Every structure is written in structure tokens, then in C-alpha cells.
């Protein structure tokens, strides 16, 4: 199994508080992998370590078999793209200008924006189906449209791996499905690896190939959606009694609280 990321014995402490403890996980290449768990379980902190936004206190993290510490900033950005929760910037740009920011790791602040860069931007706009409003200001978009624009920027970055921190948190159900369908398609059709933080276990099961669950900064479950959507496992993850029911139109069961 080819791996995108591997973390071993990972720990993170901030101001004396243990945020992550002894985390060991593999993130297979070419899969959409969800990080789930209750608030404060360490999901976003783990994603930030993978994105090199945080440095672990103990243990190690590697991408493509190479320790994250060995990458320089531009080299890493050409392989891995990170989308944080806070997307308050960029409202005064057009979508095309925002997507073009994804080319920064390839030409730098003083580099010339080449024909290849323009081709990558247009290809990313087409891949995310935002052509019809590509010249609108980002601040005028709906939540779902805005998320697609930011994801287009990551695609223009030409990264092989996308790290997404709760990209559906502020979206209604229709836009959640729209954005997660897009992420899954871009991963499976483009051969990309995706690690995504999600709150909704049913959305994780529907759109992701694998689920890693954290609780109190530790890994408490890991496997396919069918492995995770089991009452005993769900009770371990969320601390409440949950059941699952079969859904005729889905390949996995649906979880609900009793």
C-alpha cells in the first residue's frame, strides 16, 4: 500500500496541555481519508501537523516516505495543499484571481505568470465547474460556491495531496453534498490523496474511503466506513449510544443517536 502520510508516536502539547498523544496512523495514497471525533478531539491539530502549520512535540510525520522536517516550504507546497477553517480573506478578489494564487509555489512573488500558469488556473476552474462566475468577486458568492473556488485554488496549486479542515462546517445539507462530491471526484479521477476533517459521521462514511477517529487526542478507531459504522465503535468515538440502519440507496449503513 502506497502511503501519502504516515505518523508515528505523534504527540502535541501546548502550554502544558496534551492535545495529541501517541498517534500512529497511515493515510493511503489515492484515498479520501476522514478525521472524525468530538470537538477538541485533536482532529484539526493533527491536520495542521500534516500541513506543517504545527510542529509535533514528540514522534514523527512523513509525506511520501520523507520526514516533513526535510521539506523546504516551496517544495512541500508543490506537493501538499492546505485549506484551513478560516477563509475570511480573498473577498476583494475575483475567483480567477483567487485561483491564480495557487500558482505561487511555482513562480514565487517575483516570478513571471506564465502561459502554463494560466492553463493550470483555467483547468482548475473547469474542474470545479465555476466557469460561469469566474469573474465575480469572491465576497459575492454563496457558501458552496466559495468553497468550490478555494478548492479550485488548491487544484491550480497542482498538489498531489489536499488537506481540508471542515470545508462543509458552515454549509447547508445541499452544499455539503455538492462540496464533498466534488472533493471525492477530484481525488478519484485525478489520483489525488485527500485528508479531510469532518463532524458528520454519515457524510464521512458516504464520501470517504477510510475514517480515522480521535477522542481526547488519541486514536480510538480506524478503518473503512463499514468498520466504523458499528454501534460499539460509534459509542467509543462519541460517548453516546448509537445505532445503525441499512439504507437501500447507499453502500453503507446510516448512524443515529438513540
Amino acid at each position: 500500500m502506497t502511503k501519502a502520510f504516515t505518523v508515528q508516536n505523534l504527540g502535541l502539547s501546548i502550554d502544558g496541555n496534551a492535545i495529541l498523544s501517541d498517534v500512529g496512523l497511515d493515510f493511503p495514497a489515492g484515498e479520501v481519508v476522514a478525521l472524525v471525533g468530538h470537538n477538541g478531539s485533536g482532529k484539526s491539530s493533527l491536520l495542521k501537523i500534516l500541513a506543517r502549520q504545527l510542529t509535533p512535540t514528540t514522534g514523527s510525520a512523513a509525506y511520501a516516505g520523507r520526514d516533513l522536517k526535510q521539506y523546504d516550504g516551496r517544495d512541500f507546497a508543490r506537493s501538499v495543499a492546505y485549506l484551513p477553517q478560516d477563509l475570511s480573506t480573498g473577498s476583494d478578489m475575483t475567483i480567477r484571481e483567487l485561483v491564480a494564487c495557487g500558482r505561487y509555489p511555482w513562480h514565487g512573488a517575483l516570478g513571471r505568470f506564465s502561459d502554463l500558469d494560466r492553463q493550470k488556473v483555467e483547468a482548475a476552474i473547469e474542474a470545479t465547474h465555476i466557469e460561469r462566475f469566474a469573474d465575480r468577486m469572491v465576497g459575492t458568492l454563496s457558501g458552496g460556491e466559495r468553497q468550490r473556488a478555494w478548492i479550485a485554488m488548491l487544484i491550480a496549486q497542482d498538489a498531489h495531496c489536499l488537506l481540508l479542515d471542515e470545508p462543509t462546517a458552515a454549509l447547508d445539507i445541499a452544499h455539503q453534498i455538492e462540496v464533498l462530491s466534488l472533493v471525492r471526484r477530484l481525488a478519484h479521477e485525478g489520483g489525488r490523496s485527500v485528508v479531510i476533517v469532518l463532524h458528520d459521521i454519515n457524510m464521512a462514511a458516504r464520501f470517504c474511503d477510510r475514517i480515522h477517529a480521535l477522542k481526547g487526542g488519541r486514536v480510538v478507531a480506524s478503518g473503512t466506513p463499514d468498520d466504523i459504522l458499528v454501534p460499539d465503535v460509534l459509542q467509543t468515538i462519541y460517548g453516546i449510544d448509537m445505532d445503525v440502519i441499512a439504507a437501500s440507496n447507499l453502500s453503507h449503513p446510516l448512524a443515529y443517536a438513540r
Side-chain angles (χ1 to χ4, degrees):
M1 178 178 64
T2 305
K3 301 170 186 177
F5 283 97
T6 301
V7 298
Q8 296 179 323
N9 307 118
L10 203 69
L12 176 68
S13 295
I14 298 177
D15 296 329
N17 298 312
I19 310 300
L20 295 169
S21 301
D22 196 27
V23 174
L25 288 169
D26 291 329
F27 297 82
E31 290 191 357
V32 182
V33 182
L35 294 174
V36 305
H38 59 78
N39 290 341
S41 61
K43 306 183 300 295
S44 292
S45 295
L46 176 55
L47 194 76
K48 288 177 180 177
I49 288 175
L50 299 184
R52 301 206 328 161
Q53 302 295 305
L54 285 175
T55 301
T57 308
T58 58
S60 63
Y63 174 72
R66 182 179 169 192
D67 194 288
L68 296 188
K69 297 175 183 177
Q70 297 177 358
Y71 287 89
D72 65 36
R74 181 176 291 186
D75 187 23
F76 187 72
R78 288 179 174 182
S79 296
V80 179
Y82 168 60
L83 191 66
Q85 290 185 42
D86 183 9
L87 301 177
S88 57
T89 60
S91 295
D92 296 332
M93 307 171 74
T94 68
I95 289 176
R96 185 170 275 105
E97 289 170 339
L98 175 67
V99 176
C101 292
R103 298 304 299 163
Y104 178 82
W106 297 93
H107 60 71
L110 302 177
R112 175 175 168 268
F113 201 79
S114 67
D115 288 339
L116 176 61
D117 291 322
R118 293 185 183 88
Q119 291 170 14
K120 294 289 185 180
V121 168
E122 295 307 314
I125 288 172
E126 291 175 11
T128 50
H129 302 307
I130 55 176
E131 303 97 312
R132 69 183 185 278
F133 43 83
D135 293 314
R136 282 177 51 186
M137 304 299 288
V138 173
T140 68
L141 303 179
S142 70
E145 292 168 345
R146 188 174 304 187
Q147 288 298 87
R148 284 162 63 190
W150 281 97
I151 291 170
M153 186 191 74
L154 304 192
I155 300 303
Q157 193 170 327
D158 228 8
H160 301 296
C161 181
L162 309 182
L163 305 177
L164 311 175
D165 195 351
E166 297 190 41
T168 60
L171 303 181
D172 59 43
I173 186 68
H175 284 116
Q176 288 181 41
I177 291 173
E178 173 189 325
V179 168
L180 292 176
S181 296
L182 169 64
V183 169
R184 184 175 176 85
R185 176 173 61 81
L186 291 171
H188 289 176
E189 293 180 3
R192 297 179 181 88
S193 308
V194 176
V195 183
I196 182 169
V197 172
L198 291 173
H199 271 295
D200 190 323
I201 187 64
N202 287 313
M203 287 294 187
R206 179 171 178 175
F207 292 102
C208 300
D209 304 297
R210 190 176 305 272
I211 299 171
H212 296 324
L214 298 176
K215 184 176 184 179
R218 295 181 179 273
V219 178
V220 293
S222 178
T224 66
D226 284 340
D227 295 330
I228 301 300
L229 267 70
V230 177
D232 289 348
V233 176
L234 293 170
Q235 204 283 336
T236 298
I237 297 170
Y238 294 106
I240 60 173
D241 290 331
M242 299 183 71
D243 277 326
V244 297
I245 56 173
S248 59
N249 61 326
L250 296 175
S251 61
H252 58 82
L254 290 173
Y256 65 94
R258 292 181 190 171

